[in-house]
């Protein structure tokens, strides 16, 4: 437990230079002094890290902190947090976009505040897509809880629903792990890419919300074993974040297999699809922005727990930073 807590107090950057499929180079650099890093983004000059309710700005070459902004609160320059997640950061042109609880804030890259928007409709995440935004929200229909992917205008007013998938937790029915329930999406410079059925299927939408195509790839599913089930139950019963609410999550049920897609990242015209793995290295499929398969890669990721939840990571200029 002590070693685990030490890992949470620093962010490890692993630069993986993908030279050929299934090969990489690795460099490890450490940033000390972080308390709870939840997400980060990077550009040519700087690194922006969401550490609790504060955003810290570092020089990319020296990793020296040059500024910080935010802090917990409800003021225009402060951030309220969700109970189960921290801030989420994105870059748009020369601005940092900060997703906090019921607010999207805009900041200059030097840490100066620009403005914020408080949406009238619930969404936990807003990603820029052209002049619009894509957001992740929740709805309940016929007593079933769904996660949704919605398209919003620049005032964060809903335009249309793009995708939905059943939530893992359903009131009165407990928690469901694995199978066909997952919710993964990202936005590139032209398109939205999302997956929600547990298969290797990614729906592509343009900035107006029109469906363009479906990306499909053959991938062997990985079974959820009885050992996996026992490990997951033990984690939920003992982890500080889950043990208090574990009685409310029961019954915990499992699908036959793990959802194939763990994460989707976009970087400079290329789409990277990270597939679930029980091994140290994870398979990554690379596509063009139009969804044409290019090659397969193998990279190591660092995980927080037995649920295989990775520490924050981004892809930037063909490098994986975690």
């Amino acid at each position: 437990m002590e070693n685990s807590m030490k890992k949470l107090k620093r962010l490890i950057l692993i630069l993986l230079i993908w030279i050929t499929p299934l090969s990489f180079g690795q460099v490890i650099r450490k940033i000390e002094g972080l308390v709870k890093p939840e997400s980060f983004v990077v550009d040519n000059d700087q690194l922006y890290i969401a550490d609790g309710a504060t955003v810290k700005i570092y020089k990319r070459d020296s990793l020296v902190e040059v500024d910080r902004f935010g802090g917990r609160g409800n003021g225009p320059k402060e951030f309220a947090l969700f109970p189960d997640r921290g801030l989420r950061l994105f870059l748009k042109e020369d601005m940092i976009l900060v997703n906090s609880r019921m607010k999207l804030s805009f900041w200059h890259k030097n840490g100066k505040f620009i403005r914020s928007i408080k949406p009238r409709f619930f969404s936990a995440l807003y990603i820029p897509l052209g002049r619009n935004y894509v957001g992740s929200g929740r709805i309940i229909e016929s007593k079933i809880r769904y996660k949704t992917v919605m398209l919003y205008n620049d005032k964060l007013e809903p335009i249309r629903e793009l995708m939905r998938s059943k939530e893992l937790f359903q009131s009165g029915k407990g928690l469901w792990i694995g199978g066909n329930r997952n919710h993964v999406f990202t936005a590139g410079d032209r398109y939205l890419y999302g997956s929600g059925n547990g298969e290797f299927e990614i729906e592509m939408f343009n900035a107006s919300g029109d469906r363009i195509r479906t990306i499909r790839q053959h991938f062997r599913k990985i079974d959820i074993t009885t050992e996996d089930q026992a490990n997951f139950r033990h984690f939920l019963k003992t982890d500080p974040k889950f043990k208090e609410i574990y009685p409310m999550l029961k019954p915990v049920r499992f699908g036959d297999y793990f959802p194939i897609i763990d994460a989707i990242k976009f970087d400079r015209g290329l789409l990277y699809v990270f597939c679930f793995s029980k091994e140290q290295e994870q398979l990554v499929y690379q596509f063009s922005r139009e969804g044409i398969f290019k090659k397969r890669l193998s990279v190591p990721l660092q995980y927080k727990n037995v649920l295989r939840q990775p520490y924050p990571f981004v892809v930037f200029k063909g490098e994986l930073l975690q």
Side-chain angles (χ1 to χ4, degrees):
M1 185 60 159
E2 182 179 353
N3 290 337
S4 177
M5 291 303 295
K6 285 181 180 178
K7 288 181 181 178
L8 289 177
K9 292 182 180 178
R10 64 174 180 253
L11 185 67
I12 300 177
L13 301 184
I14 304 177
L15 308 185
L16 303 181
I17 305 171
W18 292 327
I19 302 169
T20 59
L22 308 180
S23 69
F24 56 87
Q26 177 172 314
V27 178
I28 297 179
R29 303 170 66 191
K30 298 178 182 178
I31 300 177
E32 302 294 344
L34 295 174
V35 179
K36 193 177 181 182
E38 292 283 353
S39 70
F40 70 98
V41 289
V42 63
D43 61 21
N44 288 326
D45 303 310
Q46 297 187 140
L47 179 68
Y48 312 87
I49 302 176
D51 189 19
T54 301
V55 178
K56 299 177 179 179
I57 305 173
Y58 295 83
K59 286 289 186 183
R60 186 168 174 234
D61 53 0
S62 64
L63 300 185
V64 172
E65 183 179 344
V66 295
D67 212 332
R68 63 173 65 188
F69 60 86
R72 188 181 293 270
N74 295 304
K77 299 181 182 180
E78 298 174 319
F79 303 119
L81 302 179
F82 287 98
D84 59 341
R85 69 177 68 89
L87 304 177
R88 292 294 183 267
L89 308 181
F90 296 94
L91 297 180
K92 183 179 182 181
E93 299 168 351
D94 62 344
M95 297 181 294
I96 312 166
L97 276 58
V98 183
N99 284 268
S100 58
R101 187 170 186 171
M102 297 305 293
K103 185 169 69 175
L104 178 64
S105 304
F106 300 79
W107 301 73
H108 289 297
K109 288 185 177 181
N110 61 5
K112 303 301 181 184
F113 177 72
I114 301 174
R115 63 188 177 96
S116 62
I117 305 176
K118 291 187 176 182
R120 291 183 297 153
F121 303 90
F122 172 80
S123 180
L125 182 69
Y126 294 99
I127 304 176
L129 178 62
R131 295 181 179 179
N132 296 323
Y133 293 87
V134 179
S136 172
R138 291 184 174 94
I139 61 171
I140 300 176
E141 288 187 0
S142 302
K143 298 182 180 181
I144 299 176
R145 297 160 59 100
Y146 294 93
K147 279 190 174 182
T148 62
V149 179
M150 297 284 296
L151 184 69
Y152 297 86
N153 63 19
D154 58 359
K155 297 179 181 179
L156 301 187
E157 298 168 333
I159 298 175
R160 62 198 293 190
E161 179 182 315
L162 303 180
M163 298 177 60
R164 69 167 60 184
S165 59
K166 283 186 179 181
E167 280 202 338
L168 299 181
F169 176 77
Q170 299 288 330
S171 299
K173 297 182 179 180
L175 179 67
W176 180 271
I177 297 177
N180 61 352
R181 299 186 191 179
N182 74 330
H183 186 77
V184 184
F185 69 98
T186 195
D189 52 359
R190 300 179 190 173
Y191 304 114
L192 164 75
Y193 309 89
S195 178
N197 64 1
E199 305 290 333
F200 201 127
E201 295 182 355
I202 301 171
E203 303 295 340
M204 280 181 57
F205 301 85
N206 64 20
S208 299
D210 302 317
R211 191 186 303 270
I212 302 300
R213 62 172 297 184
T214 301
I215 303 170
R216 292 184 175 90
Q217 191 76 23
H218 176 73
F219 192 91
R220 185 179 63 84
K221 297 175 182 177
I222 299 175
D223 294 337
I224 298 178
T225 66
T226 42
E227 182 180 0
D228 293 326
Q229 296 181 22
N231 289 337
F232 291 163
R233 285 196 172 95
H234 176 75
F235 172 79
L236 295 172
K237 290 177 182 178
T238 58
D239 181 78
K241 183 178 177 180
F242 289 102
K243 66 180 182 180
E244 298 298 328
I245 63 171
Y246 179 72
M248 295 181 286
L249 299 178
K250 296 191 297 186
V252 178
R253 298 178 296 159
F254 297 87
D256 295 328
Y257 57 88
F258 291 95
I260 293 174
I261 297 177
D262 262 354
I264 305 173
K265 302 289 184 179
F266 183 87
D267 174 54
R268 285 162 172 72
L270 293 173
L271 188 69
Y272 297 88
V273 181
F274 291 75
C275 299
F276 178 84
S277 174
K278 292 183 181 180
E279 308 301 325
Q280 182 179 0
E281 294 185 3
Q282 191 164 12
L283 281 178
V284 182
Y285 286 75
Q286 185 189 81
F287 297 86
S288 69
R289 66 160 55 84
E290 290 78 20
I292 307 302
F293 174 75
K294 295 182 72 67
K295 60 184 177 181
R296 190 178 67 170
L297 310 153
S298 180
V299 299
L301 285 178
Q302 301 293 320
Y303 296 93
K304 300 177 183 178
N305 49 48
V306 297
L307 299 183
R308 302 289 287 181
Q309 296 174 324
Y311 288 101
F313 70 97
V314 300
V315 179
F316 180 71
K317 287 188 174 181
E319 299 176 344
L320 176 67
L321 286 75
Q322 184 178 38

